[in-house]
Amino acid sequence: MQVPTLPTPDADWLAALDRDALHAAAHERAAEAWRLACEVHPRLPRPAVWLDLRGRGAGQAHFGRGGLRFNPQLLAENRLAFFTDVIPHEMAHWLVHHLDEGPRVRPHGREWKHVMRALYGLEPRATHVFDTRTASPAPYRYRCACRDHFFSRRRHANARAGRDYFCRKCRGELIYKDYAAT
């Protein structure tokens, strides 16, 4: 028995897409992954798809909002990996969540792994290995007794609002030094 899979998109075609065409193609790829999932779960609701995720995460199945979120910066930088791995990864979460026991299973547990292998023909990996420096810049330098730490805008705002942060290595308090944008 052959494992049903999504066709691998042409890397040259993906590389040639402008921003809007890439986003439209990502929406279509999510629809293809959903249609494949419907072969095993015909009543699976179709998720909305947003390209609004920021930071280090490539994708997120957001059950509260009723859809899938993807990081447009990481999509632009890792096009083929997004289409072959990230979009099916998040659709597998969507499918597992909508099974009878779905809300109670571990996010990357055996059910999710089974969907990744049996439905999408992929080796299940819980995390990506993308370079996230451009997607999650951390230009605010903080210092402890042993080294420099770099904070994102959100973490810096929390620190400025009174939240204390400590180094995990030396346990020293992290003190703001300067804006160190590259």
Side-chain angles (χ1 to χ4, degrees), residues 16-77:
L17 297 176
D18 66 13
R19 179 187 169 277
D20 291 339
L22 179 62
H23 289 191
H27 278 85
E28 179 54 34
R29 183 63 166 196
E32 290 172 4
W34 172 74
R35 286 191 288 274
L36 188 56
C38 284
E39 290 182 17
V40 295
H41 189 359
R43 293 189 332 244
L44 181 67
R46 185 171 181 168
V49 175
W50 301 281
L51 291 158
D52 65 349
L53 188 61
R54 296 180 2 183
R56 292 184 177 104
Q60 178 185 66
H62 198 294
F63 308 115
R65 281 177 72 184
L68 307 176
R69 298 177 67 202
F70 297 103
N71 186 318
Q73 180 72 35
L74 293 177
L75 166 63
E77 294 172 0

Side-chain angles (χ1 to χ4, degrees), residues 40 89 91-93 95-120 124:
V40 295
H89 175 119
M91 190 59 70
H93 283 302
L95 172 59
V96 169
H97 179 78
H98 287 88
L99 298 174
D100 289 338
E101 297 294 318
R104 292 186 282 285
V105 300
R106 291 181 18 231
H108 296 109
R110 64 180 172 81
E111 296 85 356
W112 176 83
K113 288 176 183 175
H114 178 74
V115 169
M116 288 295 286
R117 285 187 184 107
L119 185 61
Y120 294 116

